[in-house]
Amino acid sequence: MMRGKHIILGITGGIAAYKSATLARLLIKAGAEVQVVMTPNAREFITPVTMSALTGKPVVSEFFSANTGEWHSHVNLGLWADAMVIAPATASSIAKMAHGVADNMLITTYLSAKAPVFVAPAMDLDMMSHPSTAANIDLLRSYGNHIIEPAEGELASHLVGKGRMEEPERIFDVLDRFFSDTDELAGKKVLITAGPTYEPIDPVRFIGNYSTGKMGFALADAAASHGADVTVVAGPVDVRPSHPGVKVIGVESARQMLEACTPLFDEASITIFSAAVADYTPAHPQSCKIKREKTDLRQLDLIRNPDIAATLSSRKRPGQLTVGFALETDNETDNARHKLKNKNLDLIVMNSLRCSGAGFGCDTNKVTVFSPQGVIADIPLKSKQECARDIISILTRYDPYTH
């Protein structure tokens, strides 16, 4: 699956840089085209001559060539790549990546990358276990980066513990498996609803909820990375997809969301209803701002919004997969199964506000996936990007006739 892929291999200044030569060789042998980008400190551990000889390309380390003045465009590199892997990634470089400190060619290339980024940390035991390093790695995860966890073993200090860069063969397998997955949804259209809906009371007030859309957009990125043609219909949110192929349609109210989704649903192979849609909307929204001095608004007349998931799932064709979300505060399992049945869904993803780190506004989530026959998967607490990748992987394998 690596043949013809464009891979940026980023090397930072750590003793594990010697392993990057083996990783480059594995990628080249598999048919990938590899461009090495090194930090200045990395050249103290492995020479650009070695990496250039292995890849057949000049190594990029500085913003321009001192002799010729040739400019190395980090933007062009970011657009060229199908994936970027940084191995080894030192604590210093991880911190710079996490906080956007663009003081060398590698970090600017990372910040310009449009393709998935894989990070293989490598450092000594105490640095790896320091809270600041853990926080920076968590930040990178929250941005959608793939973290290839370091292994345990003897380190350069002769201490024994976690911090050894994963072996090149294992890193290669991670990349190869990623590209193997990218074709699983090729040719399929995926529709995802995300975020809240705002139901207008007057031009400046609304009924809404705390949804940020993070989970829905993480699902969109994951589906697009599997080759799907993805459209997100989103309520008012600040997040955007990281995958350039994801299309976004912005709406505000539940009725607008249903109107936008209806023609798209008919063409979708998979529809994921992850939006937090308001159940009710004001019956008589005002065209002018309601003045407290003139209007005694102690009661608000509400009417039911259309149930988007139930409405669209009632018309699904054979083979069309519909997936719902259930955010619960009590009787989680019973409520989720009730929604699964009543909305005519194939699967439902349940999470609970009683679980710390899950739900609205969090960068992490913990969910259980149900089919009509029972639990498909329990996904432990992890970043919403990782959680989304797990959910999409389940969908690519799911067959309603065998579950």
Side-chain angles (χ1 to χ4, degrees):
M1 300 306 299
M2 299 298 298
R3 184 165 299 281
K5 300 299 183 185
H6 295 169
I7 309 296
I8 296 174
L9 175 54
I11 306 174
T12 69
I15 189 65
Y18 76 91
K19 294 183 179 181
S20 302
T22 301
L23 178 58
R25 183 174 178 275
L26 290 169
L27 293 168
I28 294 293
K29 187 176 179 180
E33 191 174 343
V34 179
Q35 175 61 66
V36 172
V37 181
M38 302 174 74
T39 65
N41 284 341
R43 295 178 300 190
E44 302 296 325
F45 293 89
I46 189 167
T47 69
V49 173
T50 298
M51 299 310 300
S52 179
L54 289 169
T55 62
K57 288 179 174 291
V59 168
V60 175
S61 184
E62 303 292 348
F63 292 104
F64 60 89
S65 299
N67 293 334
T68 64
E70 179 186 2
W71 176 257
H72 299 135
S73 173
H74 54 89
V75 175
N76 289 343
L77 278 174
L79 294 172
W80 171 83
D82 294 304
M84 181 177 188
V85 55
I86 302 172
T90 61
S92 175
S93 289
I94 287 172
K96 291 177 181 180
M97 292 164 64
H99 298 283
V101 182
D103 65 349
N104 63 51
M105 187 67 185
L106 176 57
I107 304 302
T108 55
T109 301
Y110 160 73
L111 293 173
S112 299
K114 301 300 182 185
V117 178
F118 298 80
V119 183
M123 64 198 74
D124 220 308
L125 175 64
D126 294 336
M127 299 174 72
M128 187 69 210
S129 61
H130 196 279
S132 63
T133 302
N136 287 332
I137 290 175
D138 285 343
L139 267 179
L140 292 185
R141 280 198 183 95
S142 74
Y143 300 156
N145 296 292
H146 304 254
I147 306 299
I148 303 173
E149 292 288 343
E152 295 193 11
E154 185 175 0
L155 305 170
S157 64
H158 303 300
L159 295 173
V160 176
K162 186 175 182 179
R164 287 174 60 92
M165 187 182 96
E166 186 57 273
E167 295 304 315
E169 292 79 7
R170 166 64 179 151
I171 296 173
F172 174 84
D173 287 343
V174 170
L175 290 167
D176 190 53
R177 187 169 64 252
F178 172 81
F179 284 116
S180 296
D181 290 343
T182 58
D183 293 330
E184 290 183 325
L185 293 177
K188 294 184 181 295
K189 293 188 176 182
V190 174
L191 171 63
I192 299 173
T193 66
T197 64
Y198 286 178
E199 309 301 323
I201 298 172
D202 64 18
V204 298
R205 301 179 181 90
F206 59 86
I207 297 173
N209 56 63
Y210 296 114
S211 176
T212 61
K214 290 179 180 179
M215 192 70 235
F217 279 87
L219 287 163
D221 288 332
S225 73
H226 281 256
D229 179 359
V230 182
T231 300
V232 179
V233 178
V237 295
D238 292 327
V239 294
R240 304 296 297 174
S242 61
H243 195 289
V246 175
K247 297 181 285 292
V248 181
I249 298 173
V251 298
E252 288 199 351
S253 70
R255 291 186 181 277
Q256 289 173 349
M257 184 171 282
L258 178 59
E259 290 172 5
C261 286
T262 298
L264 298 169
F265 178 80
D266 293 335
E267 298 182 358
S269 299
I270 300 171
T271 300
I272 305 174
F273 301 104
S274 68
V277 181
D279 293 323
Y280 296 90
T281 190
H284 306 290
Q286 301 299 302
S287 59
C288 297
K289 179 182 177 181
I290 299 171
K291 294 293 187 178
R292 181 172 60 180
E293 296 82 1
K294 296 180 179 180
T295 305
D296 187 10
L297 189 66
R298 299 188 185 187
Q299 291 183 332
L300 195 60
D301 188 16
L302 301 176
I303 57 174
R304 284 185 179 273
N305 266 325
D307 187 324
I308 296 174
T311 300
L312 295 180
S313 287
S314 68
R315 54 189 280 182
K316 66 182 177 182
R317 63 184 183 275
Q320 192 175 20
L321 191 66
T322 57
V323 183
F325 268 69
L327 177 61
E328 302 295 339
T329 60
D330 60 283
N331 299 322
E332 290 92 339
T333 297
D334 290 342
N335 287 333
R337 286 176 166 168
H338 179 76
K339 288 182 179 180
L340 175 68
K341 179 180 179 181
N342 282 7
K343 295 177 188 288
N344 193 34
L345 301 167
D346 297 290
L347 297 171
I348 197 159
V349 181
M350 181 202 78
N351 59 342
S352 173
L353 282 178
R354 294 195 293 179
C355 177
S356 177
F360 290 151
C362 298
D363 292 324
T364 54
N365 212 353
K366 177 181 184 296
V367 303
T368 302
V369 183
F370 291 92
S371 75
Q373 288 72 40
V375 175
I376 292 286
D378 275 312
I379 300 176
L381 189 69
K382 56 179 64 179
S383 74
K384 285 186 174 177
Q385 287 77 16
E386 292 173 306
C387 186
R389 289 193 284 267
D390 289 347
I391 292 169
I392 295 299
S393 292
I394 291 168
L395 300 188
T396 62
R397 301 189 304 268
Y398 181 73
D399 182 350
Y401 300 107
T402 61
H403 282 77

